[in-house]
């Protein structure tokens, strides 16, 4: 049970659900295993049925968590992390191997911790406008920074429903900033899942869901936590110090929902946008390496 906490990462939901259970106890309806992608640790969590959904508070599907030991710095580290993202995406059966794809960047470009989605779309290799002259190794790809309701007057879901109706992609890849429970996962964890996404849910501002049900096509979500909720962080620190028994509702009072982000968030979002843009592009254009994509974009 998540005790009412906001949890974007399936890996963290699994960890929290397992707290207090015997080591031999397995969560019913949940399967997990450790893998690797480009040499980075990759945790695959599969929610199999309703029991798994209740245990983790997330819809059934596959959740991949790529863990970076540090922020990629320099060209080679960024390319390696991008290869990890490409491998994770390519391993999802929900990603069609052919046909047009729309990549949507969610979030507010003007607020740095929330700008990951829009900045990623700037670095996606878009090719839909080149139909008819595309080499065989490139598929039609379009990208859109959906903006936020306060700036556009439209829900991102409303906008994407209209755009997907016109573009008719076989799949939507939605990129968004997430919230983490633990500070060590902020800007160091990349989650890829095939269940879609509810924009803003991690910071208590849930909007229209983007998923198969609402859009009528597969939706793959790619997210990186860029903030940690201050109340959740405090509660975990108190529990680690043996000061249990606190009611989480005390941290949810009006004015108490603060979020913490790294001091170097500008640099971190820029690097992660490169990682995601290159990785998504390499996964979609299967005959292109991340180096090939880099030559087109950077």
């Amino acid at each position: 049970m998540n005790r009412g906490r906001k949890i974007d990462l399936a890996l963290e939901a699994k960890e929290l659900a397992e707290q207090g259970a015997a080591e031999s106890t397995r969560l019913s309806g949940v399967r997990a295993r450790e893998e690797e992608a480009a040499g980075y640790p990759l945790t695959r969590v599969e929610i199999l049925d309703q029991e798994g959904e209740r245990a983790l508070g997330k819809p059934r599907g596959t959740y991949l968590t790529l863990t970076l030991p540090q922020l990629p710095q320099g060209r080679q580290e960024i390319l390696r992390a991008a290869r990890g993202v490409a491998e994770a995406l390519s391993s999802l059966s929900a990603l069609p191997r052919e046909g047009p794809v729309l990549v949507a960047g969610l979030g507010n470009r003007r607020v740095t911790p929330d700008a990951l989605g829009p900045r990623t779309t700037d670095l996606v290799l878009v090719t839909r406008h080149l139909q008819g002259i595309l080499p065989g190794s490139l598929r039609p790809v379009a990208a859109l920074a959906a903006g936020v309701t306060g700036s556009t007057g439209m829900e991102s879901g409303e906008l994407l429903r209209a755009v997907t109706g016109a573009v008719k992609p076989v799949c939507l890849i939605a990129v968004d900033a997430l919230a983490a429970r633990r500070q060590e996962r902020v800007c160091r964890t990349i989650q890829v899942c095939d269940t879609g996404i509810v924009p803003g849910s991690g910071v208590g501002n849930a909007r229209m869901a983007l998923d198969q049900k609402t859009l009528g096509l597969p939706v793959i979500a790619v997210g990186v936590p860029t903030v940690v909720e201050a109340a959740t962080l405090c509660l975990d620190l108190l529990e680690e110090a043996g000061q249990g028994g606190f009611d989480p509702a005390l941290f949810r009072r009006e004015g108490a929902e603060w979020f913490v982000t790294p001091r170097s968030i500008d640099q971190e979002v820029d690097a992660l946008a490169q990682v995601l843009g290159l990785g998504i592009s390499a996964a979609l254009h299967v005959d292109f390496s991340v180096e090939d994509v880099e030559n087109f974009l950077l």
Side-chain angles (χ1 to χ4, degrees), residues 22-241:
E23 289 186 5
S24 60
T25 300
R26 297 180 58 184
L27 291 174
S28 180
V30 178
R31 182 167 57 205
R33 66 176 184 268
E34 299 299 324
E35 303 176 4
E36 277 193 359
Y40 293 113
L42 180 74
T43 302
R44 181 181 297 266
V45 175
E46 297 173 301
I47 300 177
L48 306 173
D49 53 31
Q50 288 184 343
E51 289 191 35
E53 290 179 331
R54 285 194 295 269
L56 299 193
K58 292 187 171 295
R60 71 187 68 185
T62 300
Y63 300 79
L64 307 176
T65 304
L66 185 71
T67 301
L68 307 178
Q70 61 186 16
L71 180 73
Q73 296 180 350
R75 176 175 178 269
Q76 291 304 320
E77 289 185 11
I78 287 175
L79 293 179
R80 180 189 170 200
R83 280 192 288 272
V85 171
E87 290 180 19
L89 272 169
S90 299
S91 73
L92 286 179
S93 60
L95 179 64
R97 304 309 167 199
E98 297 179 348
V101 173
L102 174 63
V103 181
L106 309 178
N108 191 338
R109 190 184 291 273
R110 299 176 181 177
V111 180
T112 304
D114 198 34
L116 180 65
R119 293 192 189 179
T120 296
T121 59
D122 293 340
L123 296 167
V124 170
L125 180 56
V126 295
T127 52
R128 181 175 177 269
H129 59 301
L130 301 174
Q131 290 187 68
I133 59 174
L134 286 174
S137 57
L138 289 174
R139 72 193 298 177
V141 174
L144 170 71
V148 292
T149 305
S151 298
T152 66
M154 296 177 287
E155 290 268 4
S156 57
E158 294 173 327
L159 179 60
L160 289 172
R161 188 158 52 193
V163 173
T164 55
V167 174
K168 295 180 171 53
V170 295
C171 178
L172 171 69
I173 297 178
V175 183
D176 199 9
L178 308 177
R181 287 184 62 241
R182 299 192 179 280
Q183 61 181 358
E184 61 266 24
R185 290 204 170 106
V186 173
C187 295
R188 302 296 181 271
T189 301
I190 300 170
Q191 177 173 271
V192 178
C193 69
D194 60 7
T195 61
I197 192 169
V198 180
S201 59
V203 293
N205 186 32
R207 316 302 299 186
M208 173 181 166
L210 306 176
D211 54 26
Q212 176 87 44
K213 182 178 179 181
T214 59
L215 296 179
L217 75 163
V219 178
I220 294 173
V222 179
V224 178
T226 58
V227 298
V228 59
E229 188 186 30
T232 299
L233 180 61
C234 289
L235 186 61
D236 286 341
L237 290 173
L238 288 169
E239 289 178 348
E240 289 175 12

